[in-house]
Amino acid sequence: MNPWLIAAPTTLAAAAAGIAAYGAVYPRSQLFGAAVSRTNSPRKLALTFDDGPNPAITPKLLDLLDRFNARATFFVIGKHARECPDLLKETASRGHVIGNHTDAHPNLFWLKPDQITVELRCCNYSIVAATGAPPRWFRPPFGFRNPWVVPTARELHQRVVMWTLIPGDWMATSSEWLIPRMEPIAERAQRNLRPSGAEEGTSNGAATGDILCLHDGGHRQLNADRLPTLAALEYWLPRWRDLGLEFVTIDEAVSAPAT
Ligand SMILES: [Zn+2]
């Protein structure tokens, strides 16, 4: 007999809630639909920034990324995009990819399909108004999904993007706190990348690369302080480059490797 059918109702409810929570927030869960949760090569590191645009941080971040010829993906909030459309336009024009991160950053787990559609469409509208191009990628706020999030994004021709590492930079009060929390990227690169010319390790399923989730803004207000994020990146970008990592957008993270 199916053990689900003989479980006490409270146990059943708890188990179902547990599975729902796993599907809702575990970054690599595919329970509620397909999501991109890693790049297709251990050499490719996708830097992603959520909750912007942010006039206090994003311009400095763009300059920092330029210094390392790094292109990234920015999952922006619609209400922030309407506050600073020129900054969003500049971000796109400097070669970065813009993604949808909803209009007001609600927890989508509790929203009905039509409410999710409104959140995505309003953000899309603000991105198109600023950049002229609709986004092809979507990241749910807090990583929370429910059964309607992925299909709703798909209807709008967007794929859901999660991450392999989220160091919690919104809590950082110093780069000293944040830098060690970004260490796993370098550790994996040291393990999986061999000197150029040698074959990269693939036997243990390591032939996939990291998607790092950082924040250039804050969902509660514009001008959030993300200076520790900038400082931690200034520390890591040259080290990642020297380890042989390539900084890619999500477009490049899923594109076929060059032959
Ligand atoms: Zn967010």
Side-chain angles (χ1 to χ4, degrees), residues 126-147:
S126 299
I127 292 173
V128 171
T131 69
R136 297 174 51 219
W137 305 103
F138 172 70
R139 174 171 283 157
F142 314 106
F144 276 111
R145 288 158 286 171
N146 66 17

Side-chain angles (χ1 to χ4, degrees), residues 3-4 6-19:
W4 284 80
I6 56 172
T10 50
T11 310
L12 189 61
I19 290 170

Side-chain angles (χ1 to χ4, degrees), residues 50-51 75 77 101 105 140-142 215 219:
D50 292 3
D51 294 359
F75 291 96
I77 298 174
H101 195 44
H105 208 279
F142 314 106
H215 296 73
H219 67 88

Side-chain angles (χ1 to χ4, degrees), residues 4-199:
W4 284 80
L5 299 178
I6 56 172
T10 50
T11 310
L12 189 61
I19 290 170
Y22 162 83
V25 76
Y26 182 67
R28 294 185 200 165
S29 162
Q30 306 287 320
L31 181 64
F32 290 141
V36 176
S37 56
R38 61 190 79 185
T39 74
N40 61 11
S41 161
R43 197 166 285 284
K44 293 182 182 178
L45 169 59
L47 304 173
T48 67
F49 299 95
D50 292 3
D51 294 359
N54 178 359
I57 295 295
T58 311
K60 296 187 180 85
L61 175 58
L62 295 179
D63 289 345
L64 177 62
L65 292 172
D66 273 355
R67 273 171 45 201
F68 293 91
N69 199 25
R71 300 291 166 266
T73 306
F74 289 77
F75 291 96
V76 301
I77 298 174
K79 66 178 181 181
H80 290 349
R82 288 191 292 281
E83 293 287 329
C84 35
D86 292 342
L87 178 54
L88 187 58
K89 184 179 182 183
E90 185 184 348
T91 304
S93 70
R94 286 165 78 163
H96 304 289
V97 168
I98 308 299
N100 184 322
H101 195 44
T102 72
D103 201 59
H105 208 279
N107 180 345
L108 297 181
F109 187 75
W110 305 107
L111 296 196
K112 299 188 184 87
D114 56 337
Q115 295 172 303
I116 296 171
T117 300
V118 167
E119 279 291 333
L120 269 67
R121 281 192 183 280
C122 287
C123 181
N124 263 17
Y125 180 83
S126 299
I127 292 173
V128 171
T131 69
R136 297 174 51 219
W137 305 103
F138 172 70
R139 174 171 283 157
F142 314 106
F144 276 111
R145 288 158 286 171
N146 66 17
W148 301 286
V149 170
V150 173
T152 304
R154 196 182 302 132
E155 272 172 29
L156 297 174
H157 311 291
Q158 293 169 10
R159 290 176 70 187
V160 171
V161 180
M162 301 297 283
W163 54 77
T164 57
L165 184 69
I166 185 163
D169 60 333
W170 65 90
M171 297 180 283
T173 53
S174 71
S175 58
E176 289 74 25
W177 183 91
L178 184 56
I179 285 169
R181 284 169 174 77
M182 292 160 70
E183 181 89 43
I185 304 277
E187 287 172 356
R188 278 196 280 270
Q190 278 162 339
R191 204 163 51 238
N192 296 326
L193 299 183
R194 296 181 185 160
S196 61
E199 196 68 17

